[in-house]
Amino acid sequence: MYVQQLEPVAGSLGLSALVATLPLLTVLVLLGAVRMKAHRAGLIGLAVAVLVAWLAYGMPLGQTASSAAQGALFGLFPILWIVVNALWVYRMTVRTRHFDILRRSFGRLSDDPRVQALVVAFCFGALLEALAGFGAPVAISAVMLVALGFDPVRAAVVALVANTAPVAFGAMGTPVVTLAQVTGLPLDTVATVVGRQTPLLALVVPLLLVWLVDGRRGLRETWMPALACGSAFAVAQFAASNYVSAQLADIGAALAGAGALMAVPHARRPAAEPVRAAVLTGVRSDDLDHDDPRPEVLRAYAPYALIVAVFSLAQIPAVKEVLAKATRTFDWPFLNVGDPSGDPVGGNVFSLPLVATGGTLVLLAGVGTAAVIGVHARVAVREWAATVHELRFAILTVTSVLALAYVMNLSGQAATIGHYVAAAGAGLAFLSPVLGWFGVAVTGSDTSANALFGALQVTAAQQSGLSPELLAAANSSGGVLGKMISPQNLTIACAAVGLAGKEGDLLRKVLPWSLGLLLVMCLIVVGQSTPVLGWMLP
């Protein structure tokens, strides 16, 4: 058995923590300063993590390689299995032009651009985040807003800021699933705590969006539909994550937010012409005036209805039990690791949920989608292969980052950093969301940030006497606010609206909002770590 050490470098916790941060620092410098492609930076960071584990921590090279392989496999399945299948569904709707029908349907819900921003960027963006994540909501929402007549810069900013509240439960709950996996905490417990933090953001973000679209006038005239939308979203996200399923949290929240928004009479009123003239400074797409047959509109909504139906069925206890029978649990080969006290770590055993996982359920819904919208089986297979090809660099990035995280966690590097950070004591509750924010800002993914820092947060919490569940959740909740400033998302937003090379301009516009909301989240976590807001936790 390889037993993790906390102070392998000169018997010093400080020096050991400094060496343990080298893989993370390597990735950050390569991404931020050198501006290297994320997949290359991830691979180099993985190589550094392996060297630190082998040379500084004394982890046998075979076990180090085995740790990396386990992380890479987890990155492929279930994480990328979800993303590939979700984007496959989207690609099929684009091919059959049902996505255009959906876009026109949204445009007809209201002619008020401030309400359109809430429908497209906040509600539909949250649904896309629930199904795919990893930049897809920003790209698709921004394109739709430009087609509705929004200025490209405004469309990109609105899409980026809107992509916050749903991120922790995005891609069928992938970030919280990953967080539970790397920390060893129960998924239900982690999801419950995150579901008592991020809904508070949902109350604020819609109000912020109408401010971004139309300034003080937008907030004054449309605060009621914005508040109704945010409140319904928050309640549904809280209820689903706490009492139903983390995988369905964003789907339910997005639908509830859209329903509440359309139920407010003010949202359906025509916008005053000065408002439209001031906000819609872009070129409006000509096809918005095209009328679509009702059956085609229903087919355009069908893929999302199918996904909700499949996931809902999968939560029925009897069905859930049948699906769980396909799960394979086994001892991971060439891996025998003990924690600093000599007890075996959870990573020695690996679970493979072949059917009871979000990706497989989305695949089943995708097969139904192909039948409903009229995609031939051969074409559907070709689209799936094209999706994999489109995501090839993202696949390499995610697998390398997860491999790096597993090497750091199993070798003891994360534990060393955690023990060192625990010296912050009570201040750790404030710093915890900042660490998650920093991780997402660098990697562009709440999933990757949870993989990198989740175990570290739990270790630090245990050493400082704080709740491990609270700090683990804070990593994910703080991380969602780093999404809008990540180079990956800024590049996606600029490319989507034709602003290539303007990432710096976009960053300057969204950074103040990212920092402001991060401060709010830090104060929430500090409050939840004390009797002031401690009653909010389960």
Side-chain angles (χ1 to χ4, degrees), residues 251-331:
I251 293 177
L255 296 176
L261 181 61
M262 291 299 100
V264 178
H266 185 78
R268 305 301 296 268
R269 294 178 197 160
E273 193 53 42
V275 172
R276 292 180 56 78
V279 175
L280 301 181
T281 54
V283 179
R284 189 170 180 268
S285 177
D286 294 333
D287 71 349
L288 288 175
D289 297 323
H290 178 71
D291 289 328
D292 299 299
R294 185 173 180 79
E296 290 303 308
V297 174
L298 293 175
R299 291 171 79 190
Y301 282 92
Y304 310 102
L306 280 170
I307 290 174
V308 173
V310 169
F311 272 83
S312 299
L313 284 172
Q315 298 308 312
I316 297 173
V319 177
K320 199 171 187 178
E321 186 177 339
V322 171
L323 297 179
K325 289 180 179 177
T327 299
R328 297 289 176 264
T329 301
F330 53 91
D331 292 332

Side-chain angles (χ1 to χ4, degrees), residues 1 36 51 58 119 161 256 260 323 340 399 449 458 500 531 534:
M1 175 183 281
M36 183 179 287
L51 289 174
V119 172
V161 174
L323 297 179
T399 51
V458 168

Side-chain angles (χ1 to χ4, degrees), residues 365-394:
V367 173
T369 294
V372 171
I373 65 176
V375 178
H376 191 277
R378 186 169 54 253
V379 176
V381 171
R382 204 158 48 230
E383 286 294 331
W384 193 91
T387 304
V388 174
H389 182 264
E390 180 185 337
L391 291 173
R392 62 192 183 282
F393 293 121

Side-chain angles (χ1 to χ4, degrees), residues 55-427:
L55 299 176
Y57 279 75
M59 189 179 198
L61 194 55
Q63 296 211 49
T64 304
S66 183
S67 302
Q70 184 180 149
L73 177 59
F74 183 68
L76 290 171
F77 191 98
I79 294 177
L80 288 164
W81 181 235
I82 297 172
V83 177
V84 167
N85 289 323
L87 287 181
W88 170 57
V89 173
Y90 163 69
R91 282 181 66 100
M92 287 193 293
T93 65
V94 171
R95 184 181 183 90
T96 60
R97 299 198 177 275
H98 283 92
F99 181 74
D100 292 334
I101 296 173
L102 189 68
R103 178 168 54 84
R104 287 193 288 269
S105 176
F106 285 164
R108 284 190 287 269
L109 289 175
S110 173
D111 76 340
D112 189 326
R114 299 162 299 190
V115 175
Q116 289 175 345
L118 294 175
V119 172
V120 173
F122 188 72
C123 296
F124 186 60
L127 185 60
L128 292 171
E129 182 67 38
L131 303 178
F134 294 90
V138 170
I140 296 168
S141 297
V143 168
M144 290 178 73
L145 290 175
V146 170
L148 291 170
F150 278 69
D151 170 74
V153 173
R154 182 175 282 153
V157 170
V158 167
L160 285 166
V161 174
N163 190 222
T164 48
V167 168
F169 297 102
M172 296 303 176
T174 299
V176 290
V177 169
T178 303
L179 186 61
Q181 179 82 8
V182 301
T183 59
L185 298 173
L187 173 60
D188 290 344
T189 304
V190 172
T192 295
V193 181
V194 175
R196 299 179 187 216
Q197 295 172 342
T198 56
L200 299 174
L201 293 176
L203 296 172
V204 178
V205 171
L207 296 169
L208 177 55
L209 293 180
V210 297
W211 173 278
L212 289 171
V213 172
D214 195 28
R216 189 173 299 173
R217 177 179 58 186
L219 189 59
R220 184 177 65 250
E221 295 181 359
T222 53
W223 67 269
M224 188 179 297
L227 188 59
C229 177
S231 299
F233 186 102
V235 170
Q237 191 183 61
F238 161 76
S241 60
N242 277 260
Y243 305 113
V244 183
S245 164
Q247 285 87 347
L248 291 175
D250 278 349
I251 293 177
L255 296 176
L261 181 61
M262 291 299 100
V264 178
H266 185 78
R268 305 301 296 268
R269 294 178 197 160
E273 193 53 42
V275 172
R276 292 180 56 78
V279 175
L280 301 181
T281 54
V283 179
R284 189 170 180 268
S285 177
D286 294 333
D287 71 349
L288 288 175
D289 297 323
H290 178 71
D291 289 328
D292 299 299
R294 185 173 180 79
E296 290 303 308
V297 174
L298 293 175
R299 291 171 79 190
Y301 282 92
Y304 310 102
L306 280 170
I307 290 174
V308 173
V310 169
F311 272 83
S312 299
L313 284 172
Q315 298 308 312
I316 297 173
V319 177
K320 199 171 187 178
E321 186 177 339
V322 171
L323 297 179
K325 289 180 179 177
T327 299
R328 297 289 176 264
T329 301
F330 53 91
D331 292 332
W332 187 258
F334 311 112
L335 195 64
N336 186 15
V337 178
D339 61 22
S341 60
D343 298 323
V345 299
N348 293 330
V349 179
F350 191 78
S351 291
L352 205 60
L354 299 173
V355 181
T357 185
T360 303
L361 298 178
V362 174
L363 178 65
L364 294 174
V367 173
T369 294
V372 171
I373 65 176
V375 178
H376 191 277
R378 186 169 54 253
V379 176
V381 171
R382 204 158 48 230
E383 286 294 331
W384 193 91
T387 304
V388 174
H389 182 264
E390 180 185 337
L391 291 173
R392 62 192 183 282
F393 293 121
I395 291 171
L396 194 54
T397 300
V398 172
T399 51
S400 61
V401 168
L402 265 294
L404 180 154
Y406 270 60
V407 169
M408 289 190 65
N409 291 341
L410 290 170
S411 67
Q413 295 173 55
T416 297
I417 300 172
H419 278 74
Y420 186 74
V421 172

